[in-house]
């Protein structure tokens, strides 16, 4: 299946930034293969990744290089489980273990991006593990034809461009921070088996309030900067209770999150951490079209 990904990547114009990214990744793998996780490494971390606007990260070294470097700083996981802002569904659901198609849930971009592939190995074993971890009262629904949405496949295609790690997507079943922390806690044992647990969203996501200056100059509005500073401080202090009060406590609301699905995957990430109240390690910060792309890993 990875050959279909390679074939699609080969059709990207050679001058495109992502084509160069793929070439560098292939060369690095040939000279210095990404070391696979072993039990001696201990538990994989859990990540919160700001995934950018549609396919825009494919065009920018400011996304490509840090995300790939982040992935290479960790052992190559046995599998990846992603909870994305772009799949809100209850009851809890899992994607196809080996989907035939991606979900191209963005519009107005170069038609080339709708031909991108990310055909990863079968994630059936991970799907069985996730299903078994849920309480009997929470039956997990299997969407056997649903592919990965852009909140999952865009950052992962940058981080793991060879498409050689099984990937499963888990739906975001609620907006309640406490329930998502509990969901993350149930997923925590996966990390000890080499599974990378990722919450994918965006640290600020005020799409209705984007301006021309934000697009053309990356001008950062006060509401985005204020929310990011508040979140960074709470994360540095491990103040999960403060983060859970974001609707009322965070400056810049509701402009930063007029809907909250791009912030709440953060609670799955923290819930999956060994110690949710420990300070996190920030791996990506700054702004894209004025929106905070703060991303972090928790141990």
């Amino acid at each position: 299946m990875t050959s279909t990904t390679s074939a699609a990547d080969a059709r990207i114009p050679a001058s495109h930034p992502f084509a160069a990214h793929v070439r560098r990744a292939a060369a690095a793998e040939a000279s210095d293969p990404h070391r696979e996780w072993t039990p001696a490494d201990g538990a994989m971390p859990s990540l919160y990744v700001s995934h950018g606007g549609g396919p825009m990260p494919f065009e920018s070294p400011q996304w490509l290089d840090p995300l790939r470097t982040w992935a290479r700083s960790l052992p190559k996981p046995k599998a990846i489980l992603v909870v994305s802002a772009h799949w809100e569904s209850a009851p809890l659901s899992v994607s196809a273990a080996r989907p035939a198609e991606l979900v191209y849930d963005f519009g107005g971009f170069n038609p080339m991006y709708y031909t991108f592939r990310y055909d990863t190995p079968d994630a059936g074993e991970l799907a069985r593990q996730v299903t078994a971890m849920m309480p009997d009262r929470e039956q997990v629904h299997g969407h056997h034809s649903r592919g990965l949405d852009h909140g999952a496949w865009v950052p992962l295609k940058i981080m793991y461009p060879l498409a050689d790690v099984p990937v499963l997507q888990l739906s975001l079943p609620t907006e309640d921070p406490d329930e998502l922390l509990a969901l993350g806690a149930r997923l925590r044992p996966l990390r000890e088996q080499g599974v990378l647990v990722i919450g994918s969203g965006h640290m600020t996501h005020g799409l209705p309030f984007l301006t021309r200056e934000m697009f053309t100059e990356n001008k950062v509005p006060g509401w985005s900067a204020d929310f990011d500073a508040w979140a960074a401080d709470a994360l540095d202090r491990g103040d999960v209770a403060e983060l859970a009060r974001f609707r009322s406590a965070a400056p810049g609301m509701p402009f930063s999150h007029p809907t909250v699905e791009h912030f709440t995957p953060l609670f799955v990430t923290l819930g999956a951490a060994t110690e949710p109240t420990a300070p996190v390690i920030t791996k990506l910060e700054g702004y894209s079209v004025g929106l905070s792309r703060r991303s972090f890993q928790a141990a």
Side-chain angles (χ1 to χ4, degrees), residues 142-166:
H143 279 267
H144 300 300
S145 62
R146 191 188 194 281
L148 305 174
D149 62 52
H150 87 265
W153 70 265
V154 169
L156 290 180
K157 190 170 173 65
I158 295 171
M159 297 174 80
Y160 301 96
L162 303 184
D164 56 353
V165 179

Side-chain angles (χ1 to χ4, degrees), residues 228-244:
D228 179 65
W230 168 86
D233 176 68
L235 289 165
D236 285 344
R237 294 184 288 104
D239 195 339
V240 178
E242 174 72 359
L243 291 164

Side-chain angles (χ1 to χ4, degrees), residues 19-43:
H21 182 78
V22 172
R23 291 194 298 270
R24 289 194 300 271
E29 186 66 20
S31 63
D32 181 24
H34 194 168
R35 184 179 65 82
E36 295 189 1
W37 178 89
T38 70
D41 292 309

Side-chain angles (χ1 to χ4, degrees), residues 81-136:
L81 181 67
V82 186
V83 178
S84 162
H86 292 276
W87 189 18
E88 297 177 272
S89 180
L92 197 64
S93 303
V94 293
S95 66
R98 198 165 190 174
E101 297 294 337
L102 296 174
V103 180
Y104 303 99
D105 48 342
F106 45 74
F109 294 95
N110 188 320
M112 171 186 66
Y113 294 121
Y114 304 91
T115 69
F116 274 26
R117 303 288 306 179
Y118 196 60
D119 296 303
T120 51
D122 190 288
E125 178 57 31
L126 180 57
R128 288 186 285 273
Q129 288 178 284
V130 170
T131 299
M133 287 176 163
M134 298 302 128
D136 291 340

Side-chain angles (χ1 to χ4, degrees), residues 210-285:
L210 296 181
T211 65
R212 180 183 298 274
E213 291 77 16
M214 292 170 72
F215 277 107
T216 60
E217 305 169 19
N218 195 23
K219 183 176 181 180
V220 180
W223 49 262
S224 185
D226 291 347
F227 186 98
D228 179 65
W230 168 86
D233 176 68
L235 289 165
D236 285 344
R237 294 184 288 104
D239 195 339
V240 178
E242 174 72 359
L243 291 164
R245 292 192 294 269
F246 71 97
R247 288 181 177 86
S248 59
M253 287 292 289
F255 297 96
S256 287
H257 290 285
T259 58
V260 302
E261 75 287 341
H262 277 72
F263 186 68
T264 52
L266 170 149
F267 295 106
V268 179
T269 299
L270 293 177
T274 303
E275 178 47 71
T277 59
V280 303
I281 301 172
T282 299
K283 303 298 288 190
L284 187 65
E285 54 189 333

Side-chain angles (χ1 to χ4, degrees), residues 177-220:
D178 290 334
E179 292 184 22
L180 292 173
L181 286 164
L183 173 60
R186 288 196 288 274
L187 300 173
R188 192 178 300 161
L190 292 172
R191 297 175 39 240
E192 298 171 359
Q193 301 171 47
V195 176
L196 185 62
V197 177
I198 300 178
S200 177
H202 221 294
M203 189 56 72
T204 60
H205 196 250
L207 296 188
F209 311 110
L210 296 181
T211 65
R212 180 183 298 274
E213 291 77 16
M214 292 170 72
F215 277 107
T216 60
E217 305 169 19
N218 195 23
K219 183 176 181 180
V220 180

